[in-house]
């Protein structure tokens, strides 16, 4: 029978593409990882890895085994959840949240969870939307609340369970005294000559650049930032225009005007994520239920 521990090592090797990367993640020596992979291949009776210098790739059978591994892990986590003793919600959860991105109702919801379940200790960890799901998958966080951007709800990643809390539209954000501030709506092509505050290493970068490209121009960049809060702050002092989700507050809100964008389907989706199979753990179930109840009353469905 295949050894689950060795399957986890195989998954780490596959994701890092090297023995050394898997060893760093797992806290093993490279020799130990190599030995476990050799033992797994002997047990399976087939080659699972193609070794080439410092890099490693999976054979087709190796990739199929990884797919089965994800399903096995889901069932194991579900079994562990079922063995948890019923009773009051207690213990310790590490929850990731993108503090600077909002919407701020996320932290409000978690405050209500703490008030309702005083025996449950919650540690909040600042994460980016890009890294949140991976931190849960690796078991470094129990739950994350994050944002994704697009024309439709995101699809869950293998091994993860997600719930869509709601969504809010993207709007053009301009300085309060800008000539566009009083418009009821705006088209992207009207912004060809505007200085733009654009995003770097942020999901909104793809959306913004795609909208401009679709209208036949490249944005004239006035500033490049890494988060929405900074973009709104620069827009508020007249540095340029940008796009941002409606529920991410400006600082102060009176310094900017939000103008609806015509023919733009992209939205920000607020999502709560945990590892598939762990959603029945009482503490995680309590958090997911409470956060969903609070946010669905405040975020547009």
């Amino acid at each position: 029978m295949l050894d689950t521990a060795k399957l986890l090592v195989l998954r780490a090797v596959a994701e890092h593409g090297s023995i050394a990367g898997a060893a760093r993640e797992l806290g093993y020596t490279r020799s130990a990882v190599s030995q476990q992979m050799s033992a797994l291949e002997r047990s399976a009776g087939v080659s699972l890895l193609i070794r080439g210098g410092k890099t490693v790739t999976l054979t087709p059978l190796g990739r199929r085994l990884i797919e089965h591994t994800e399903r096995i892990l889901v069932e194991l986590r579900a079994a562990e959840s079922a063995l948890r003793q019923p009773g009051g919600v207690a213990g310790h959860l590490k929850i990731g949240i993108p503090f600077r991105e909002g919407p701020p109702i996320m932290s409000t919801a978690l405050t209500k969870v703490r008030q309702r379940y005083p025996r449950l200790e919650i540690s909040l960890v600042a994460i980016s939307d890009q890294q949140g799901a991976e931190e849960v998958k690796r078991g470094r966080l129990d739950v994350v609340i994050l944002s994704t951007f697009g024309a439709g709800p995101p699809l869950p990643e293998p091994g993860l369970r997600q719930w869509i809390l709601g969504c809010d539209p993207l709007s053009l954000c301009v300085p309060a005294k800008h000539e566009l501030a009083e418009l009821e709506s705006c088209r992207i092509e009207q912004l060809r000559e505007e200085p733009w505050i654009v995003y770097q290493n942020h999901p909104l970068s793809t959306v913004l650049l795609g909208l401009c490209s679709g209208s036949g121009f490249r944005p004239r960049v006035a500033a490049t930032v890494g988060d929405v809060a900074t973009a709104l702050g620069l827009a508020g002092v007249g540095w340029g225009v940008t796009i941002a989700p409606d529920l991410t507050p400006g600082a102060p809100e009176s310094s900017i005007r939000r103008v609806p964008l015509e023919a733009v389907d992209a939205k920000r989706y607020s999502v709560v994520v945990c590892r598939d199979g762990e959603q029945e753990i009482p503490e995680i179930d309590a958090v997911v239920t409470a956060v969903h109840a609070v946010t669905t009353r405040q975020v547009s469905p």
Side-chain angles (χ1 to χ4, degrees):
M1 183 176 294
L2 295 175
D3 185 332
T4 304
K6 291 183 176 62
L7 293 178
L8 290 174
V9 176
L10 175 66
R11 187 178 69 162
V13 170
E15 292 183 348
H16 288 278
S18 70
I19 297 295
R24 284 193 299 271
E25 177 186 326
L26 299 171
Y28 296 167
T29 64
R30 284 181 288 181
S31 175
V33 172
S34 294
Q35 290 173 12
Q36 293 210 43
M37 290 301 89
S38 296
L40 180 60
E41 287 181 312
R42 288 195 299 271
S43 176
V46 295
S47 295
L48 302 173
L49 302 176
I50 302 173
R51 297 166 174 83
K54 294 182 179 180
T55 62
V56 176
T57 57
L58 267 64
T59 65
L61 288 175
R63 290 194 295 271
R64 288 185 62 186
L65 185 54
I66 288 292
E67 294 173 0
H68 286 288
T69 298
E70 293 296 346
R71 292 195 290 271
I72 290 168
L73 293 176
V74 170
E75 292 302 320
L76 285 174
R77 290 193 291 264
E80 290 174 350
S81 299
L83 294 175
R84 294 289 294 270
Q85 293 294 323
V89 174
H92 180 218
L93 289 180
K94 295 180 67 175
I95 300 179
I97 181 170
F99 286 105
R100 293 175 64 83
E101 298 298 319
I105 56 174
M106 293 176 178
S107 53
T108 301
L110 293 178
T111 299
K112 291 183 179 296
V113 172
R114 293 184 68 195
Q115 293 170 346
R116 183 174 180 182
Y117 303 106
R119 295 173 57 214
L120 176 61
E121 180 183 354
I122 294 177
S123 296
L124 296 183
V125 179
I127 52 98
S128 68
D129 292 319
Q130 300 93 305
Q131 71 183 121
E134 187 65 23
E135 291 294 291
V136 170
K137 188 179 291 185
R138 292 281 156 251
R140 292 189 280 264
L141 293 174
D142 299 298
V143 180
V144 294
I145 302 173
L146 49 81
S147 300
T148 66
F149 299 85
L155 296 175
E157 295 184 27
L160 298 178
R161 176 67 65 94
Q162 72 175 29
W163 294 263
I164 307 296
L165 301 175
C167 64
D168 54 322
L170 303 180
S171 296
L172 174 70
C173 297
V174 301
K177 295 183 179 180
H178 196 283
E179 61 183 8
L180 298 174
E182 302 305 321
L183 293 181
E184 293 186 0
S185 63
C186 181
R187 300 186 308 277
I188 289 291
E189 52 264 33
Q190 292 177 253
L191 308 169
R192 184 182 302 269
E193 302 302 324
E194 296 291 334
W196 279 88
I197 303 159
V198 300
Y199 299 94
Q200 185 176 39
N201 300 324
H202 191 283
L204 264 179
S205 173
T206 302
V207 176
L208 190 157
L209 295 176
L211 291 174
C212 294
S213 176
S215 296
F217 71 94
R218 291 179 60 86
R220 182 162 61 90
V221 177
T224 301
V225 300
D227 62 87
V228 177
T230 301
L232 291 175
L234 288 176
V237 298
W239 203 259
V241 304
T242 193
I243 61 171
D246 276 0
L247 291 178
T248 299
E253 186 67 23
S254 60
S255 66
I256 61 171
R257 293 290 182 271
R258 300 176 189 265
V259 182
L261 289 166
E262 297 178 15
V264 173
D265 295 328
K267 297 180 177 64
R268 190 251 306 268
Y269 289 85
S270 299
V271 184
V272 60
V273 177
C274 75
R275 290 198 291 183
D276 198 359
E278 292 186 346
Q279 63 272 16
E280 300 301 327
I281 293 176
E283 292 78 21
I284 292 180
D285 178 64
V287 167
V288 171
T289 300
V291 170
H292 195 276
V294 171
T295 54
T296 51
R297 289 197 297 268
Q298 300 182 57
V299 183
S300 303

